[in-house]
Amino acid sequence: MTSFPHLFEPLKLGGHTVRNRLFFPPHGTSLGDQGVVGERLVAYHEARARGGVGMIVIEGMSMHESFDIPSGYILAGRPEVIPGFSKLSQAVHRHDTKLLGQLFHPGVAMRATLDGSKRPVYSASDTPFERYSLMPVPASHDLIGEWVEAYARASSHMIEGGFDGVEILASMGYLIAQFLNPRTNRREDQYGGSLENRMRLLTEILTAVRKAIGSDPILGVRVTDGDVTPDAMEPGEVMEICQALEAGGLIDYISVIGGNTSTARGWIDVFPHMAIGHGHVAANAGVLRKGLDLPVLVAGRINQPQMAEEVVASGQADMVGMVRALIADPHLPAKAQAGRPDDIRACIGCNQACVGHRLQYFGVSCIQHPETGRELTYDHDKAPAETQRKVMVIGGGPGGMKAAAILAERGHDVTLHEASAQLGGQALLAQALPGREEFGGIVTNLTAEMERAGVVVRRNSDVTADAVRAAAPDAVVVATGGTPYRPDFDGAEEAHVVDSWAVIRGEANVGGSVVVADWRNDWIGLGVAHKLALDGCRVRLAVTGMVPGQNLQDGVRDFWIGELHKLGVEMIPYARLFGADADTVYLQHTVNDQPIICDEVETLVLSQGTRPLKTLAEPMADWDGDVHVIGDALSPRTAEEAVLEGLKAGMAI
């Protein structure tokens, strides 16, 4: 008997029955092939279907030339998509998983371009769009008519391609939501004013889509509830819209998500990261479910089956969506159903390789599980190696642990040596910062994967090149990481200077007035400034970038900038470290070289990057055996690159 009885009950949606209550919600992947479904996208979704999810709703797709961007979106309005749709539906249906496609138009929220020049943007009214600094043109009746026809045409392409249904995106401040909201829709014609008029675009779309696809396919609508954005729709307004949709009899479910693309704060809730509460809109979905007879679906920071079970069991929703959780572990549903929840690789909400990749139009992946998005190259289940070999992995950070786990899974005899008492490397620093505790999940997950694969782990084992030669392994993976870089600057001996790693570990004596000199522009400078401000210090965060956290995914960056602002941290952009003395830090503007002087400073905290630890890699360079240097030992970057290189080393040996 499953430990999650509610999750694995079937659910009837329209003319179809979904085998369980877990679905893979729509999300951009950048795995398409110039506007059509290609082999990468088929492999990506088939992996989730094979892993046991009941329903997949593929990414928001364009249906009209005003938003056709083939480099980033599937162009569902063009007949060329049908063959790819057929391949995808056949692959997903092989595993008894239902397949829907979402249709999406951003309206004014369109920053992407075809050739670098900005395209005209349209909305209900000429309401300014804050996040992209765009002023839309109110859509004409002719354009609205084109949109309605385009939604219907694209929907028919999906059904012709074997899909089980269609979802219409009316959420997150995009086009249809811009019409629904009385504060962004100030029209005085039949598409503005009353609720009926503001719903007219959506109603016309649904009517046309239902006519195009027939009565049997599933038809759903996705809405936003619990939106904290200024001028957002109130929960009561959302309920009224959903009740009107139900009364119209055209749809089979309501799907609920959080966030709004129109502001930096709203954008955070579209992709809620590790500092945002789990299941942050489940309660909102529960209120809607009590007021509706239609099935209600919900998604947003639900990354474990225990939470999903509670959402369904408590009546907050009929189905639970898991995007990043299934990106991190495609087999999550099957593991949960088999009573193996401890084997699940839990998402840590870092947003780096999933959301971060997508927003740069790179294929979506996962820092813990880089096989995701690379299914054509790396299967999620590894085949045994042709020849079993003895392998030493030196270094127990994320890269070394990934390499060891993969090697052992493939049948090699693997021993991992970690110089300290704890596995995790720099991930231990990240998890020690305020609001980033969940990052430690990467260590927990990889440790468990090594244990299941049979890796022998030696802690407090500082291995030398001579020790490697004496052990005579067939191959070595060098994952020794890096050490903090400390640049030379005037006054370094006179000033009280400490390293950010020492601050995080609680090993530094920090005064009450601090300057954090941040060259990395990532989580370290932001996190150390946050920690010290919470400790009561006066903090000035000087960064070489345009903003602190410049190299982080924008929702993650913006959240912590907001936290620093609340704590009174002074943020100084375009500032490189130049020098210091007993009570002053001297900075230099990175553009005009003019001085920036911070006085009354007790402690200078350095976040100036990492240099490779070469104590093993260099002596092993002339060894006759098979050597793979990965992660910061090769070139200082992030956990994402270390884990990916660990995967590559694990598959190459």
Side-chain angles (χ1 to χ4, degrees), residues 33-38 41-42 58 61-63 68 73-89 103 153-163:
D33 186 4
Q34 285 300 302
V36 301
V37 172
L41 191 60
V42 172
I58 74 163
M61 296 178 285
S62 170
M63 81 303 297
D68 279 357
Y73 296 88
I74 305 299
L75 309 185
R78 301 184 184 183
E80 294 87 349
V81 300
I82 296 172
F85 282 170
S86 296
K87 290 180 182 178
L88 178 59
S89 62
L103 293 177
R153 182 169 55 253
S155 298
S156 68
H157 291 161
M158 283 189 260
I159 302 306
E160 186 175 347
F163 283 36

Side-chain angles (χ1 to χ4, degrees), residues 246-311:
E246 180 175 89
L250 292 169
I251 66 171
D252 301 304
Y253 70 81
I254 295 287
S255 182
V256 182
I257 191 174
N260 190 316
T261 191
S262 66
T263 69
R265 176 62 185 89
W267 186 240
I268 292 168
D269 281 340
V270 173
F271 307 110
H273 54 76
M274 64 179 65
I276 306 299
H278 289 278
H280 69 303
V281 293
N284 299 87
V287 173
L288 288 177
R289 189 173 183 271
K290 289 179 181 178
L292 299 169
D293 291 327
L294 282 172
V296 172
L297 286 56
V298 70
R301 271 286 275 163
I302 300 172
N303 70 343
Q304 291 277 26
Q306 295 89 338
M307 180 177 296
E309 170 74 15
E310 176 59 27
V311 168

Side-chain angles (χ1 to χ4, degrees), residues 111-413:
R111 181 172 57 179
T113 76
L114 290 174
D115 60 2
S117 61
K118 294 183 179 180
R119 306 169 74 178
V121 291
Y122 301 95
S123 184
S125 303
D126 57 351
T127 305
F129 186 80
E130 178 179 296
R131 190 158 152 264
Y132 296 158
S133 304
L134 295 171
M135 181 65 74
V137 177
S140 67
H141 289 181
D142 287 345
L143 181 56
I144 290 172
E146 287 182 23
W147 284 337
V148 172
E149 292 176 3
Y151 273 92
R153 182 169 55 253
S155 298
S156 68
H157 291 161
M158 283 189 260
I159 302 306
E160 186 175 347
F163 283 36
D164 301 297
V166 178
E167 179 175 282
I168 303 300
L169 185 148
S171 60
M172 296 177 284
Y174 292 121
L175 176 66
I176 295 175
Q178 293 158 23
F179 274 79
L180 294 174
N181 188 339
R183 284 161 290 282
T184 55
N185 182 348
R186 295 178 282 104
R187 299 175 75 103
E188 297 179 354
D189 61 5
Q190 65 265 43
Y191 292 97
S194 68
L195 174 64
E196 180 182 4
N197 284 355
R198 286 183 283 109
M199 288 189 64
R200 192 176 304 279
L201 172 60
L202 177 56
T203 302
E204 289 180 352
I205 289 170
L206 293 172
T207 301
V209 169
R210 181 55 83 186
K211 181 179 179 181
I213 67 175
S215 60
D216 185 65
I218 302 166
L219 179 57
V221 172
R222 196 171 214 194
V223 301
T224 291
D225 200 9
D227 187 353
V228 300
T229 304
D231 295 332
M233 284 192 289
E234 299 292 334
E237 294 174 312
V238 178
M239 175 69 82
E240 194 175 15
I241 288 168
C242 292
Q243 289 175 335
L245 289 171
E246 180 175 89
L250 292 169
I251 66 171
D252 301 304
Y253 70 81
I254 295 287
S255 182
V256 182
I257 191 174
N260 190 316
T261 191
S262 66
T263 69
R265 176 62 185 89
W267 186 240
I268 292 168
D269 281 340
V270 173
F271 307 110
H273 54 76
M274 64 179 65
I276 306 299
H278 289 278
H280 69 303
V281 293
N284 299 87
V287 173
L288 288 177
R289 189 173 183 271
K290 289 179 181 178
L292 299 169
D293 291 327
L294 282 172
V296 172
L297 286 56
V298 70
R301 271 286 275 163
I302 300 172
N303 70 343
Q304 291 277 26
Q306 295 89 338
M307 180 177 296
E309 170 74 15
E310 176 59 27
V311 168
V312 177
S314 65
Q316 291 181 310
D318 298 282
M319 290 190 77
V320 176
M322 295 178 154
V323 173
R324 290 169 294 173
L326 286 166
I327 286 174
D329 193 339
H331 296 151
L332 182 153
K335 291 177 180 178
Q337 190 168 20
R340 297 164 42 218
D342 291 344
D343 290 354
I344 291 169
R345 182 186 306 104
C347 167
I348 61 174
C350 68
N351 284 5
Q352 181 171 335
C354 49
V355 181
H357 277 208
R358 167 58 182 171
L359 295 178
Q360 298 178 70
Y361 289 153
F362 298 129
V364 67
S365 191
C366 176
I367 72 166
Q368 300 187 86
H369 192 62
E371 291 93 332
T372 283
R374 299 180 174 93
E375 283 85 1
L376 296 180
T377 305
Y378 302 110
D379 198 332
H380 294 285
D381 297 306
K382 308 299 184 294
E386 293 183 4
T387 303
Q388 294 185 358
R389 306 178 73 188
K390 178 182 177 182
V391 185
M392 292 178 69
V393 178
I394 316 301
M401 288 194 287
K402 179 68 174 182
I406 295 297
L407 287 162
E409 182 182 351
R410 296 181 59 229
H412 294 301
D413 177 7

Side-chain angles (χ1 to χ4, degrees), residues 19-32:
R19 61 172 161 150
N20 60 46
R21 305 300 182 96
L22 293 171
F23 74 102
F24 196 35
H27 57 285
T29 64
S30 296
L31 295 174

